[in-house]
């Protein structure tokens, strides 16, 4: 983290960042390459994050949380993502996508049932929105939930769902079409989308084999299928018909968290490049003394610094209860592009070594592309920013 920005934070935030940084260097870094190479889920690392209380950072103590806030989560994500994006996205998805919908929209009974286990990190939650024909355009949602007595019967499928198939996954929150909205003015009838809690292992739920991904190889990602899956009526999360609106709120918050993760990746590329440029020699001197390399790293640092400022501002608005959608979109856009640009430049600085998976920058190069796609593509962020300008 930039020293100037770090000095602006209250002591508790700086102490959290330092603690997570130590954990990442001591526990995460030594096993990252192996888990990436083997495409294995880092259960021992997740257990360590749970012991630190990271999964409970933004939740009240009454639900088993740490009594912190969303910015604390973002700081933790930034530190972890400097070294391992797969671990960072496991934490991000478990908190902002898995547990946060229950906290934001659940009944008191639902919160008491699910939040303590999710906030403790003993269990993981997942967020099922994306479908084969419904990603950025949720109007394409085809998964349905129909009432049958005291139950909902769910049929359909989801894809690209993080944390959905681990041994500790306990809950998957999904969206499903529950009816049709009425016409209003010149607006045609549309789909009524609601949100449901689906416990892992429910009969009728099939978890597909893990995807063969370009990056985030140690992150758990599966497709899901629902075949006459039955859940109790009380598993409706929030008000019927508000599922899409509620998930948009969750995605707005999640974009700040993804921005923090992306800043971590961007900064990790800076840190690795600075270290390497001081050690690697060419033409009789270390490569960092050559202006072409020094200027490239300077631009990388500038990108990370600006992106960090952007997510700090969006998080501050969120915590103050002010509108933050516009700033969250900006933060997600600039941070994800910073991560991708910095990983490309870092790979170039490392030369042939940058193309070898044994070097962290190679993993960042593979991992960072998804940051411009997940939780709203860059094109979606541009659309949201333009709308915020009245265009």
């Amino acid at each position: 983290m930039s020293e100037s920005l770090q000095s602006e934070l209250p002591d508790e935030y700086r102490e959290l960042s330092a603690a997570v940084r130590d954990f990442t260097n001591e526990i995460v870094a030594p096993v990252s390459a192996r888990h990436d190479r083997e495409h294995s889920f880092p259960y021992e690392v997740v257990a360590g994050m749970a012991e630190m209380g990271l999964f409970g950072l933004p939740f009240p103590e009454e639900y088993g949380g740490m009594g912190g806030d969303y910015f604390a989560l973002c700081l933790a994500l930034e530190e972890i993502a400097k070294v391992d994006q797969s671990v960072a996205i496991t934490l991000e998805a478990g908190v902002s996508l898995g547990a946060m919908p229950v906290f934001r929209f659940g009944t008191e009974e639902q919160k008491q049932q699910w939040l303590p286990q999710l906030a403790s990190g003993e269990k993981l939650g997942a967020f099922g929105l994306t479908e084969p024909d419904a990603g950025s355009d949720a109007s394409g949602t085809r998964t349905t939930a129909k009432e049958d007595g005291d139950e909902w019967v769910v049929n359909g499928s989801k894809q690209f769902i993080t944390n959905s198939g681990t041994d500790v996954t306990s809950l998957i929150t999904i969206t499903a079409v529950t009816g049709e909205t009425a016409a209003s003015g010149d607006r045609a009838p549309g789909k009524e989308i609601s949100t449901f809690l689906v416990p892992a292992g429910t009969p009728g739920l099939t978890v597909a084999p893990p995807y063969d991904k370009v990056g985030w190889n140690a992150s758990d990602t599966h497709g899901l299928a629902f075949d006459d899956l039955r859940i109790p009526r009380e598993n409706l999360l929030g008000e019927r018909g508000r599922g899409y609106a509620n998930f948009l709120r969750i995605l707005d918050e999640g974009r700040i968290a993804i921005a923090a993760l992306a800043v971590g990746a961007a900064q990790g590329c800076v840190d690795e490049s600075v270290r390497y440029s001081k050690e690697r020699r060419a033409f009789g001197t270390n490569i960092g003394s050559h202006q072409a390399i020094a200027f490239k790293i300077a631009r990388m640092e500038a990108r990370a610094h600006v992106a960090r400022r952007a997510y700090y501002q969006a998080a501050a608005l969120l915590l103050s209860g002010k509108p933050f959608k516009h700033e969250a979109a900006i933060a997600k856009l600039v941070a994800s592009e910073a991560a991708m640009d910095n990983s490309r430049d870092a790979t170039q600085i490392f030369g042939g070594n940058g193309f070898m998976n044994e070097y962290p920058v190679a993993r960042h190069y593979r991992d960072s592309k998804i940051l411009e796609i997940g939780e709203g593509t860059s094109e979606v962020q541009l659309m949201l920013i333009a709308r915020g300008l009245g265009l």
Side-chain angles (χ1 to χ4, degrees):
M1 180 187 297
S2 167
E3 291 298 323
S4 62
L5 290 184
Q6 188 178 35
S7 65
E8 297 175 9
L9 299 178
D11 288 346
E12 60 268 26
Y13 288 132
R14 288 190 283 115
E15 290 169 1
L16 171 65
S17 290
V20 177
R21 189 180 311 123
D22 290 342
F23 171 81
T24 301
N25 291 332
E26 295 170 8
I27 304 299
V28 181
V31 300
S32 289
R34 174 174 61 83
H35 282 299
D36 178 75
R37 181 174 62 252
E38 297 176 356
H39 292 216
S40 53
F41 188 74
Y43 285 102
E44 75 282 19
V45 173
V46 172
M49 291 194 294
E51 186 175 349
M52 287 186 69
L54 301 187
F55 288 93
L57 278 173
F59 302 116
E61 295 180 9
E62 64 183 293
Y63 299 119
M66 298 294 289
D69 55 34
Y70 209 87
F71 185 57
L73 170 66
C74 290
L75 292 175
L77 290 171
E78 181 182 343
E79 290 299 333
I80 296 169
K82 290 178 182 178
V83 171
D84 194 321
Q85 293 186 44
S86 288
V87 172
I89 195 59
T90 299
L91 174 62
E92 192 276 338
V95 178
S96 72
L97 300 182
M100 193 59 72
V102 180
F103 178 65
R104 293 290 186 212
F105 311 116
T107 64
E108 185 59 30
E109 291 74 17
Q110 289 170 336
K111 293 177 183 179
Q112 293 291 346
Q113 178 181 359
W114 294 108
L115 282 181
Q117 59 179 276
L118 297 176
S120 71
E122 296 177 2
K123 299 293 183 179
L124 291 177
F127 173 94
L129 175 65
T130 304
E131 299 185 8
D133 295 311
S136 300
D137 180 12
S139 66
T141 300
R142 294 186 178 181
T143 297
T144 62
K146 297 182 179 179
E147 294 179 277
D148 184 15
D150 291 333
E151 296 179 315
W152 293 95
V153 181
V154 182
N155 285 281
S157 63
K158 301 290 180 179
Q159 66 178 6
F160 311 144
I161 309 305
T162 304
N163 292 346
S164 58
T166 75
D167 294 342
V168 292
T169 299
S170 66
L171 178 68
I172 303 167
T173 303
I174 67 167
T175 52
V177 178
T178 50
E180 191 175 81
T181 60
S184 176
D186 59 355
R187 188 178 64 186
K191 293 178 178 178
E192 176 191 78
I193 298 177
S194 303
T195 314
F196 298 91
L197 301 174
V198 177
T202 300
L205 170 63
T206 299
V207 179
Y211 291 101
D212 183 10
K213 298 173 291 187
V214 171
W216 285 3
N217 288 329
S219 167
D220 178 80
T221 318
H222 300 264
L224 306 173
F226 313 103
D227 184 12
D228 286 337
L229 178 145
R230 290 179 174 270
I231 51 177
R233 289 180 63 88
E234 56 266 26
N235 281 32
L236 174 70
L237 179 65
E239 182 182 343
R240 175 172 177 168
R242 292 286 301 171
Y244 182 49
N246 289 346
F247 265 56
L248 287 180
R249 162 73 189 212
I250 293 299
L251 287 175
D252 285 339
E253 294 182 1
R255 285 168 185 147
I256 303 176
I258 289 293
L261 191 160
V263 167
Q267 190 66 54
C269 289
V270 174
D271 296 345
E272 287 294 316
S273 296
V274 169
R275 178 192 60 77
Y276 187 77
S277 69
K278 291 178 178 179
E279 298 173 355
R280 176 69 171 173
R281 295 181 64 82
F283 303 104
T285 184
N286 65 71
I287 63 173
S289 65
H290 297 295
Q291 194 175 78
I293 300 298
F295 280 12
K296 191 181 292 290
I297 296 175
R299 286 191 181 278
M300 293 166 62
E301 172 70 4
R303 292 185 194 118
H305 181 90
V306 171
R308 184 178 293 108
R309 280 290 190 187
Y311 99 70
Y312 273 27
Q313 181 190 22
L317 291 172
L318 167 62
L319 297 185
S320 66
K322 298 176 181 178
F324 64 92
K325 179 189 289 285
H326 185 76
E327 288 76 12
I330 291 174
K332 205 272 187 181
L333 176 70
V334 300
S336 60
E337 290 183 346
M340 193 67 232
D341 290 344
N342 279 15
S343 66
R344 183 190 62 245
D345 285 351
T347 301
Q348 191 71 22
I349 290 168
F350 273 66
N353 287 332
F355 205 60
M356 301 297 112
N357 280 325
E358 66 185 274
Y359 289 88
V361 295
R363 190 164 67 246
H364 275 307
Y365 188 57
R366 289 185 285 107
D367 287 348
S368 293
K369 182 57 194 174
I370 189 59
L371 295 169
E372 297 182 313
I373 299 172
E375 293 200 36
T377 63
S378 294
E379 290 75 18
V380 166
Q381 307 316 312
L382 291 167
M383 178 182 68
L384 293 173
I385 295 167
R387 285 179 180 174
L389 297 173
L391 300 175

